[in-house]
Amino acid sequence: NAGVTQTPKFQVLKTGQSMTLQCAQDMNHNSMYWYRQDPGMGLRLIYYSASEGTTDKGEVPNGYNVSRLNKREFSLRLESAAPSQTSVYFCASSPSRAKQFFGPGTRLTVL
Amino acid sequence: EDKVVQSPLSLVVHEGDTVTLNCSYEVTNFRSLLWYKQEKKAPTFLFMLTSSGIEKKSGRLSSILDKKELFSILNITATQTGDSAVYLCAVEKTGNQFYFGTGTSLTVIP
């Protein structure tokens, strides 16, 4: 039982490049979330998916897209990376609401 | 605008001390308030509070919510070096939206 896994752990991109962050959970949870964490800003919700087949915008969705591929997987895509997207990205899942289980994070640097 | 404010931003105490961490919020359509502990990596869940005045306890940690005054406190008694971490407060709104505070960094000195 791995919980919530994220790949990659680290990534360096150049401005304008695209990439997809992968997240998977093996706890059969309905809800999944993507957050970014910046110094002095706390965790901010980018997108979430309340169930397979649905996605909704969070607090800071601009510049990102998501796909809820199936119940296990929720990916986050940066189509054209910008330096302002340098951050640590966390994926989380929860069985219904509130109590979330977080993945180990992806540290992304955009040059 | 929805917001969650934690205080203090950081705290340094000696082992055995008792600490109180504060979280105030202004959020429409409140559903619950959560506390997480974040060490080097991912946040881990501590408490979820939905009702005023009911204390949640887990060992040396306890938390309580005041929905009238819109705040919560997290108490840690007899602190240990393993309590050193960032403590995050989050508020859940209806519609699966979550707002996190910036956290309180706690350092416990032996």
Side-chain angles (χ1 to χ4, degrees), chain A residues 5 7 17 19 36 49 56 69 77 82 88 104 106-107:
Chain A
T5 58
T7 55
Q17 287 185 315
M19 79 159 296
R36 60 178 288 174
S49 170
D56 285 287
L69 304 168
R77 182 158 179 84
V88 179
T106 295
R107 187 173 294 274

Side-chain angles (χ1 to χ4, degrees), chain B residues 10-64:
Chain B
S10 65
L11 200 52
V12 180
V13 301
H14 289 96
E15 263 192 325
D17 288 350
T18 293
V19 297
T20 298
L21 310 183
N22 303 293
C23 176
S24 64
Y25 62 92
E26 290 178 30
V27 172
T28 56
N29 302 315
F30 173 92
R31 285 189 84 179
S32 66
L33 185 143
L34 304 99
W35 286 96
Y36 289 86
K37 178 182 182 181
Q38 186 174 24
E39 295 173 269
K40 294 293 184 187
K41 292 187 177 179
T44 53
F45 173 81
L46 294 174
F47 297 111
M48 183 175 84
L49 302 148
T50 56
S51 302
S52 274
I54 298 174
E55 186 182 49
K56 293 278 183 99
K57 288 199 77 168
S58 177
R60 295 176 293 103
L61 278 67
S62 64
S63 183
I64 197 161

Side-chain angles (χ1 to χ4, degrees), chain A residues 14-47:
Chain A
K14 294 181 180 176
T15 296
Q17 287 185 315
S18 62
M19 79 159 296
T20 299
L21 307 184
Q22 306 286 354
C23 174
Q25 51 93 8
D26 61 2
M27 296 175 282
N28 202 36
H29 288 169
N30 287 321
S31 300
M32 297 186 75
Y33 310 84
W34 276 106
Y35 292 90
R36 60 178 288 174
Q37 187 173 35
D38 303 296
M41 298 291 289
L43 283 157
R44 291 183 292 170
L45 184 63
I46 305 171
Y47 270 94

Side-chain angles (χ1 to χ4, degrees), chain A residues 9 31 33 35 37 40-45 48-50 57-59 90 96-105, chain B residues 1-2 31-32 34 36 38 40-45 48 50 86 88 92 94-103:
Chain A
K9 288 189 171 59
S31 300
Y33 310 84
Y35 292 90
Q37 187 173 35
M41 298 291 289
L43 283 157
R44 291 183 292 170
L45 184 63
Y48 64 97
S49 170
K57 294 178 180 180
E59 188 182 355
F90 286 101
S96 54
R97 50 173 275 248
K99 180 179 178 179
Q100 297 176 340
F101 296 81
F102 284 82
Chain B
E1 183 185 333
D2 297 313
R31 285 189 84 179
S32 66
L34 304 99
Y36 289 86
Q38 186 174 24
K40 294 293 184 187
K41 292 187 177 179
T44 53
F45 173 81
M48 183 175 84
T50 56
V86 174
L88 298 169
E92 181 200 12
T94 54
N96 262 34
Q97 290 268 14
F98 290 85
Y99 287 87
F100 279 78
T102 54

